[in-house]
Amino acid sequence: MEKKSFLKPRTISSIKDFVCVVPALLFLAVFTYYPIGKLIQISFTDWNLLNATWNYVGLENWEWLFNGSGTRHLLNSLRVTILYSIGELSVTLIGGLVFALIFNRMSRTFSVMRAVVFVPRYVAMSSAAVVFLWILNTDTGILNYLLEKVGLPAVDWLGNRNTALISVLMLTGWRAVGYGMMIYLSAMIGISKDYYEAASLDGATSVQKFWKITLPLLSPTTLFLFVTTFISSMKVFQSVDILTQGGPYRSTEVFVYKIYLYAMEDFRMDRASVVAIAFFVLLLAVTALTFKVSQNSVHYDA
């Protein structure tokens, strides 16, 4: 005689589904949520890597963040990071859209050209940064060599506070524009040709089709690229670390690099933790605000 199960089939299925996601939950708990909790704990201590012990100091680090000596430097890092983000967003969104419109042809020649633009995305940032150190070198760099060939003076790309951040954006833009292009191209393929045929019957020009059909139907893609690019640009570190180390005169000292300096050069893990938490809250707030503002301007008809 077969034994009857006290659990309903649906309950058994739910248990099986839960068991399948347990490894992922454990992974997140160990490598994401536990570090976040530890970070919050450290922010209430005076943990200095030069000392063997630490103590809880309450809100002392938070008072330092908003009212202490580090406020001016943090505001400078926030300003630099915002300027950098604006630059990377412009290159990715505008440049990617322009390249997508140019290369939106299903032919072998255009496929090769798309691949040429997109390949830099696969180059490791560290390797690309080393190459750009040579390209932007004041004395032996190929960029200054080309400028001199056309009669223009050489530029101290990485040593001048007016051009250092632009130099970092050159590297970032070279790697990011192909990614934006491919995302926009994928979205363009999904737009029904019926819209364009109906617009042609009404006598619409190519420019009118772009503004009235292509651009509105690409709004979900634009929102996706804006959010992902904004978050990645605000977290820029490696290119700055290799090219400029935050200089000259803190002109490229972005927020994440400032956190690194607090932790690894000043050995103040407590202050680094406070700044990291504030930075996380800022990113979360801006991302949520972006989704809120874009609700009435994003179309999902494509």
Side-chain angles (χ1 to χ4, degrees):
M1 185 176 179
E2 295 183 0
K3 295 183 178 179
K4 293 183 178 181
S5 175
F6 292 99
L7 298 175
K8 297 180 180 180
R10 181 177 297 180
T11 304
I12 295 176
S13 177
S14 300
I15 294 175
K16 290 180 179 179
D17 293 340
F18 177 76
V19 171
C20 290
V21 301
V22 164
L25 293 176
L26 290 175
F27 184 87
L28 288 173
V30 173
F31 295 101
T32 301
Y33 300 124
Y34 174 75
I36 292 175
K38 198 67 177 177
L39 191 70
I40 295 173
Q41 178 189 6
I42 294 172
S43 69
F44 295 104
T45 68
D46 60 353
W47 187 13
N48 188 321
L49 293 179
L50 298 179
N51 299 327
T53 60
W54 52 267
N55 302 296
Y56 285 102
V57 293
L59 298 176
E60 182 178 311
N61 292 317
W62 291 95
E63 292 176 358
W64 165 84
L65 175 63
F66 294 107
N67 299 315
S69 59
T71 304
R72 179 170 57 86
H73 293 161
L74 289 175
L75 289 176
N76 173 73
S77 297
L78 182 60
R79 180 187 64 84
V80 173
T81 306
I82 291 175
L83 290 174
Y84 174 87
S85 296
I86 292 173
E88 185 171 345
L89 283 168
S90 301
V91 171
T92 303
L93 297 180
I94 300 175
L97 181 58
V98 170
F99 275 106
L101 292 171
I102 295 173
F103 295 146
N104 190 17
R105 308 285 191 280
M106 292 303 149
S107 65
R108 182 172 299 179
T109 302
F110 281 93
S111 296
V112 173
M113 295 171 69
R114 286 195 296 268
V116 170
V117 177
F118 184 68
V119 159
R121 184 71 180 185
Y122 289 106
V123 180
M125 178 61 80
S126 56
S127 302
V130 171
V131 173
F132 267 74
L133 277 175
W134 166 68
I135 293 175
L136 300 172
N137 187 277
T138 305
D139 301 318
T140 60
I142 189 173
L143 187 55
N144 277 343
Y145 173 78
L146 294 175
L147 290 177
E148 292 174 356
K149 284 295 182 181
V150 297
L152 296 175
V155 178
D156 187 6
W157 293 102
L158 300 175
N160 190 320
R161 66 187 308 168
N162 296 320
T163 58
L165 191 62
I166 297 174
S167 302
V168 177
L169 281 169
M170 288 182 187
L171 168 59
T172 305
W174 175 71
R175 294 184 73 251
V177 69
Y179 172 73
M181 176 195 70
M182 294 302 292
I183 296 297
Y184 273 125
L185 276 172
S186 301
M188 287 180 182
I189 294 174
I191 299 177
S192 175
K193 302 298 182 184
D194 296 340
Y195 294 111
Y196 298 103
E197 293 175 0
S200 298
L201 292 175
D202 291 337
T205 63
S206 299
V207 175
Q208 289 174 328
K209 292 177 184 178
F210 171 76
W211 285 107
K212 300 297 183 179
I213 299 175
T214 305
L215 201 57
L217 294 180
L218 288 178
S219 54
T221 305
T222 302
L223 176 63
F224 166 78
L225 278 175
F226 180 89
V227 172
T228 55
T229 304
F230 170 76
I231 293 174
S232 64
S233 64
M234 291 291 284
K235 297 188 297 182
V236 61
F237 171 79
Q238 198 169 21
S239 57
V240 172
D241 184 40
I242 297 175
L243 291 179
T244 64
Q245 293 81 49
Y249 307 109
R250 296 195 169 113
S251 60
T252 60
E253 194 177 73
V254 292
F255 219 89
V256 174
Y257 192 77
K258 189 65 177 178
I259 296 173
Y260 165 79
L261 293 179
Y262 280 134
M264 297 297 128
E265 291 197 4
D266 297 342
F267 305 111
R268 293 299 304 268
M269 296 299 295
D270 51 349
R271 293 183 175 180
S273 300
V274 168
V275 177
I277 293 171
F279 187 55
F280 169 76
V281 173
L282 174 65
L283 288 181
L284 189 64
V286 173
T287 303
L289 181 62
T290 301
F291 278 106
K292 183 68 175 178
V293 172
S294 64
Q295 283 182 350
N296 297 325
S297 58
V298 176
H299 305 276
Y300 296 95
D301 298 331

